[in-house]
Amino acid sequence: MTFLLATVILLISLALMMMPLITSNYPHPDRENLSPFECGFDPKNTSRTPFSLQFFLIAVIFLIFDVEIALLLPMPIIINNFNNVNTLLLILFFIIILTLGLYYEWLNGALSWTL
């Protein structure tokens, strides 16, 4: 019974996914549709703007450490509720891992803006 129900659900899902392909009348993209439009003129430059890889790297590092700070914020409450050595060692271990990660990124030059 379960196998039959799973098969029916799979067939309905496949039918719903294939329905737009069967019923749509959308033309296939060609060279004209894929080129950028500038009032009939050829584009002066590429449509893609260059992106600074250093900025992206700094943004990713910021997001990582931002999440880690969000994990560190409730630590004083945890220390007050669970006042034992294991909790303190766990928090100390977490902070040491964060410090080692920061030191590793600093040594590899990930934090310097100019490469």
Side-chain angles (χ1 to χ4, degrees), residues 22-97:
I22 296 169
T23 59
S24 70
N25 197 12
Y26 185 74
H28 297 290
D30 57 355
R31 183 173 173 232
E32 291 294 322
N33 288 341
L34 294 177
S35 65
F37 179 70
E38 286 190 14
C39 300
F41 297 106
D42 290 331
K44 293 182 180 179
N45 54 11
T46 61
S47 61
R48 298 184 187 266
T49 57
F51 187 74
S52 174
L53 200 56
Q54 289 92 3
F55 175 76
F56 177 73
L57 186 62
I58 294 293
V60 168
I61 290 171
F62 171 76
L63 286 175
I64 290 170
F65 280 106
D66 192 39
V67 169
E68 291 167 352
I69 292 297
L71 291 173
L72 283 174
L73 282 176
M75 294 295 176
I77 298 170
I78 292 173
I79 291 173
N80 285 337
N81 290 341
F82 305 104
N83 198 4
N84 58 13
V85 178
N86 290 337
T87 306
L88 293 175
L89 287 177
L90 183 66
I91 292 171
L92 183 65
F93 182 67
F94 184 69
I95 291 173
I96 288 172
I97 288 176

